[in-house]
Amino acid sequence: MSNSEAVQAFEQELANGFKSLTCTLEGVRCGGCTVSIERHISGIEGIALARANATTKRLRLIWDPARVQAKDILEEISKLGFSAYPYLQEKLSDREDSLLVPLAVAGFGMMNIMAFSFAVWAGFTSDMGENTRHLMHWLSAAIAIPVCLYAGKVFYFPAISSLRSGRMTMDTPISLAVITTLIASIYELMAGAQHIYFDAAVSLIFFLLIGRVFEQVLKRRSTSASDNLRALQQYHVQRIKSDGCVEYIQAKDLVAGDVIFIPSGEQVLADGVLVSDITEIDESITSGETVPKTVKQGDFVLAGSVVVGQAVQIEVTASGAQSYLGEISNLIETAEMHKGKYAYLADKFAEGYGPLVLGASMLGFLFWYFILGAGLSDSLMIAVAVLIVTCPCAAGLATPAVIVQAVNQLLGRGIIVKNGEALERLCEVNQIVIDKTGTLTDAMLELVPQSYDEGKLKHASAMAGSSSHPLAKALCRAYPVQALEGVREYPGEGLVASDGTRLGSAEFVGTTTRNNGGPELWCKRQGEEAVCFTFRDIPKAEVSVFLSALQQEGIKVSLLSGDNRYAVGHFADQFTIADWSSEMRPEQKLAYINEKALQGRKLLMIGDGLNDAPSLAAAYVSVSPATAVQVSQSASDMVLTGKNLLPVVDAIKIARASQKLIKQNLAFSTIYNLVTLPIALAGGLTPLIAAILMSSSSLLVMLNALRLRRQ
Amino acid sequence: MTAILYLIPVSVFLGLLALIGFIWTVQTNQYDDLEGEKYRVIGDDEAVFRVKEPDNKNNLS
C-alpha cells in the first residue's frame, strides 16, 4: 500500500469533522475474513464505524482524525494479512432501485387476491350469493389495480420507450397482457359478470419479476467486481507544482504542460516528454517489447510504460487525437461501431413471440366476436386467456437464472463476466487469438539455461547486483551472489567494475553484435574474450496445460505479438504454436481480427496491452487479465481477476453447458406455447387455468435451469 | 357471514404490515451483504457500531 498522501486523495470530510473512506479488500477468501477484519478494526481507538461488506469485498471506514490516521488503520489491516486499497465511488446516483420492492408488492397482491378467488371458486360449487361474489370481486379489484400500476411499471416504461424507437422487446407483450387483463376484468366487474381475472394479471407480474430480480443481482455483482479491480490499480500521479512542491492528483486531471514525477518501478500515466536526463523504460504493455528501451532528455514516453531505470520527471504533452492513447481510442470506437449487433437467442425468441402472440390474441377475439357471434365477455375472455397462457417464461425467467448461476460460478473461479450475453458468444468460439507479453508470459526475463562458464557467470552476477536494470536483475535471479562494491553504472549502456570488467550491451563491451535480436548481456573481463548471456521471456506456469486444454475443446490457437521476431518465434517453438506473428502494431492486430471475422471464424481475443485494446473491442469475445491497462479491461467482455489463464477454459466449458440448458428451456417453452395457444383460441381455457398453466411452466423451466451443476 | 366484513380488512391489514416490514428491510439495505451476515451472526464478540452512517444509501454496493 503506497504512502499516506495518496490515500488522502480518497478521503472524504464529514460534517462533524470525522473522515470517511471506502476500501477494496484484497486477500479475503471468505465472508469470515471480512467480518473478522470488521471486528478487529472496530476495536481501534478513534474508529467510529468500520463496516465490511463480504459480498462486494469492501470496507467502509469512518474515523476521528484527531485520534487515528488512515495509514494506521490500513497498517492494522495489513497486519492481519490482507491489503486495503482506497476506492472512490464515482457514480452514486446511477444505482437503480432494488426490484425486490415491486416483487414484494406483487407477491402481496397475488396472495391476497388468490384468497378472494379461492372463496369465489368454492362459491361456484356451493351457495355463495351474488352480492358476496361482487364483494369479493371489488376487493380483488381494490388490491389489483394499485399493485398492477405500481409493480407493472418495471415492464411498462421499457415497453413504451422501445415502442418509441419502433422495436418490440419482451416487455411489450407482457405489458399488453397485464393491461388488457386488467381492463377486461374491470369491464367485467362493472357489468357484474361471473368471471374476473385480476389474479391472473398479478400472478403474471409476480413470476416475471422473479426473473428480473435475478438479472438485477447479476448486473450488480459483476459491476461491483469490476469496480473493485479498478480500485486495485493506482491512478494517482505526483505533480510537481511551479513552486517545486509535490501534490497528488488523479491521472485524468492532468493537463498538457504539467510536470509529473514517476518513481522507479511505476507506470507512466500520461504521454509525455522526458525532462530528466536519462532512464530505461519498459514498453511491454504498449508494444509487447520485453527489452527495455533507453530514453534521453527530450525523448517521447508513452502512457503505460513502466520506468525501470532511475526515477524521472516527465512533462505531459497535449492529449487528444494526436496522442498514442487517442489513436487507440479512435481505433476502438471504429471497431465497436463495425462490430454489429449480435442477435441473442432470447431476443430472437422475443422478436418472434411478441407479434405472434398479440396477433393471435387479436384474431381470436375478432373471430369469436364477429364470426362466431359469441358475447363480448366470452370473446374477451378468450383473448385474455391467449395472452396469459403464452408465457415468455423461458426467456424472461429461466435464461437469466442460468446465466446468473454461470456467472457466479465463474466469479468464484477468477473470471468476471461483464454481461451475460458474452457467455452465449463464448460457446461458439472456435479460435483463440492471444497476445504474448503479459498474457502468456510474466513480462519478466530469465537467463536461457546454457552451459555458461561458472566463474564468469558468478562475476557477472556479482556486478549486476547493484543495478536495477531488468536484464541485470534476471542475471542475479539465475545465480544469486553477493553484489560487488564499487561498480559504476552508465545508464542505458552498462556497468563497469573496479577491475575493469564491463557488463552491458555489445557496443559497450566492444564486440560485434550477434544478430538475433534477443535480449542479451555481454561480459568482458580485461584480457579475455567477451561472453554473451542470452535471456528469454518467462512463460506463465500454466501455459502448456492451457494450450492442451484448448486443443481438447477443439479450439485453434493463434499467437499475435508486438514483440520482435526472435522472441516470438522462440516462444512459439517452445510451445508448438504453429500460427504466430510478431512485431504487430495495433492496426495490424485489428486487421487480422477483422479478416478472420469476415471468413466466419468466431474469435476469442486475450490480451493485456494498450496495443491489444482495439482488437479486444472488435473480437467476437474478449478477455483481459487484471494486470492489463484500464483501456483494455474496459474494451473486453471478461476480465481475469488473477494472472492464471485457466479460468478461460472453465468459462468456455460453462458457457457451453449453459447454452445447452438455455436451448432446452427455449425448446420446452416453444412446445408449450404451440400446444396451449390453439387450445386457448378454441375457447378451452379460462384466464385462471391459463394463469395456472403459465405458472407451472415457469416453475418447470426454473427447475431445469437450476441443473447447471459445478463443472 | 357478517364476520367476513371485519375479518377481511383485518387480514389484509396484517398482510400490509408484513409488506411494509419487508420494504423497510430493503430500504435499510439489509440485503446488501448476505455473505457477511452469515458470519456476523455466529461471531463471539458484540457488534460495534457507534455511529450511524450519515449517508445511508448506496454506500457498500
Side-chain angles (χ1 to χ4, degrees), chain A residues 35 47 283 356 378 398 447 500 507:
Chain A
V35 174
I47 294 274
E283 282 191 323
L356 181 71
D378 290 338
L447 185 66
E507 294 90 6

Side-chain angles (χ1 to χ4, degrees), chain A residues 427-673:
Chain A
C427 64
E428 290 183 33
V429 161
N430 51 23
Q431 186 174 344
I432 285 193
V433 172
I434 192 160
D435 174 48
K436 180 181 71 70
T437 316
T439 311
L440 286 176
T441 69
D442 277 329
M444 271 203 308
L445 296 163
E446 70 173 355
L447 185 66
V448 174
Q450 282 173 4
S451 50
Y452 298 107
D453 183 302
E454 187 155 342
K456 298 208 165 93
L457 183 55
K458 190 164 163 205
H459 190 63
S461 181
M463 279 179 68
S466 50
S467 169
S468 58
H469 190 280
L471 289 179
K473 293 223 280 259
L475 194 58
C476 294
R477 272 199 299 271
Y479 199 93
V481 287
Q482 183 83 352
L484 266 182
E485 302 277 321
V487 176
R488 275 195 70 187
E489 179 161 7
Y490 293 85
E493 294 177 68
L495 304 160
V496 182
S498 44
D499 66 355
T501 314
R502 291 183 158 233
L503 178 68
S505 64
E507 294 90 6
F508 186 69
V509 160
T511 68
T512 48
T513 323
R514 230 169 58 178
N515 278 329
N516 57 18
E520 56 190 21
L521 270 186
W522 287 87
C523 184
K524 186 176 191 321
R525 269 186 128 127
Q526 294 201 324
E528 283 178 13
E529 277 283 317
V531 170
C532 179
F533 299 106
T534 46
F535 298 85
R536 62 177 182 197
D537 282 325
I538 304 181
K540 289 188 180 171
E542 70 272 11
V543 176
S544 339
V545 178
F546 180 62
L547 291 172
S548 58
L550 286 176
Q551 208 177 33
Q552 271 185 336
E553 295 289 322
I555 299 176
K556 186 167 164 284
V557 176
S558 310
L559 178 63
L560 287 184
S561 174
D563 205 353
N564 66 64
R565 209 181 157 71
Y566 173 77
V568 184
H570 184 87
F571 190 89
D573 285 338
Q574 210 183 341
F575 292 101
T576 55
I577 300 174
D579 182 8
W580 61 270
S581 313
S582 59
E583 290 162 32
M584 293 207 99
R585 293 189 46 78
E587 310 85 64
Q588 289 172 303
K589 288 197 186 190
L590 184 59
Y592 180 90
I593 303 252
N594 287 334
E595 186 196 317
K596 288 286 179 237
L598 280 176
Q599 289 174 5
R601 309 282 300 169
K602 307 279 188 231
L603 296 175
L604 168 65
M605 167 85 188
I606 311 182
D608 74 320
L610 198 56
N611 58 344
D612 297 317
S615 318
L616 288 170
Y620 202 54
V621 194
S622 48
V623 182
S624 64
T627 45
V629 197
Q630 185 51 37
V631 181
S632 300
Q633 279 189 44
S634 308
S636 327
D637 297 307
M638 298 186 248
V639 180
L640 290 163
T641 50
K643 292 203 243 167
N644 200 321
L645 288 169
L646 290 174
V648 175
V649 185
D650 286 339
I652 294 177
K653 288 200 196 140
I654 289 182
R656 290 184 177 170
S658 317
Q659 195 64 356
K660 216 171 76 171
L661 274 179
I662 292 176
K663 285 206 176 119
Q664 274 175 12
N665 286 338
L666 285 175
F668 168 75
S669 185
T670 313
I671 296 175
Y672 162 84
N673 281 317

